[in-house]
Amino acid sequence: MEDDFQKRYPITWAVLRNAADRITNWKNVTPQAKTRKRMEIAVVIVALSNTL
């Protein structure tokens, strides 16, 4: 399904990947904050994948 998502929403996928990479590189942020942001991105991905 990830491949379908990438093909159907290439720009959105790139934006979400960039956001995830930036979150991973955050400094001086609690692991809980990183996890919360990752979960928000996951919710967006699931919502968009449901439109396929």
Side-chain angles (χ1 to χ4, degrees):
M1 180 175 321
E2 187 173 302
D3 291 333
D4 291 340
F5 183 82
Q6 286 177 331
K7 290 175 187 171
R8 186 134 183 204
Y9 304 103
I11 294 173
T12 302
W13 177 256
V15 169
L16 291 172
R17 285 291 302 161
N18 187 29
D21 290 343
R22 286 180 179 214
I23 289 167
T24 302
N25 293 324
W26 276 352
K27 305 281 188 258
N28 300 321
V29 177
T30 65
Q32 293 86 356
K34 288 183 182 184
T35 301
R36 187 170 55 248
K37 287 297 179 186
R38 285 189 195 111
M39 290 302 299
E40 290 173 6
I41 290 173
V43 168
V44 171
I45 291 172
V46 168
L48 288 173
S49 67
N50 287 336
T51 68
L52 292 176

